[in-house]
Amino acid sequence: MSEVNTRGGAGHDTATRRGFFGRIALFVAQVLDELRKVVRPTREELITYTTVVMVFVIAVMLFVAALDYGIGKLVFWAFAGS
């Protein structure tokens, strides 16, 4: 017969046996492992992404400014009369 882990899941025993600093060391090791998996963009990709973001932000700024200007004129016309 195989043994059944009744403590709540895989790896639960090892996590409870670690002390405070052991858990911190495990966390740091896991963070470093995940950072090794990160794929960094090339210089060309970074420039392309930055350009796309800047163009989008400027377009949204212009849209919001035009909307603000139009609503301001409409409110001024409604309350000032001229």
Side-chain angles (χ1 to χ4, degrees):
M1 286 224 148
S2 64
E3 294 182 21
V4 177
N5 186 1
T6 59
R7 298 188 105 189
H12 188 268
D13 291 339
T14 59
T16 56
R17 281 190 245 146
R18 292 183 188 268
F20 178 73
F21 293 109
R23 290 193 305 264
I24 291 175
L26 176 64
F27 175 74
V28 170
Q30 289 174 344
V31 167
L32 292 176
D33 287 341
E34 290 299 320
L35 284 175
R36 285 188 196 99
K37 297 177 188 177
V38 173
V39 179
R40 290 169 180 84
T42 63
R43 182 174 176 84
E44 292 79 22
E45 290 173 332
L46 188 62
I47 291 170
T48 301
Y49 297 156
T50 303
T51 304
V52 167
V53 169
M54 294 302 290
V55 167
F56 179 76
V57 167
I58 290 170
V60 170
M61 283 174 49
L62 291 173
F63 174 72
V64 170
L67 199 62
D68 179 50
Y69 180 77
I71 292 173
K73 284 288 190 183
L74 183 66
V75 168
F76 185 74
W77 173 77
F79 290 110
S82 180

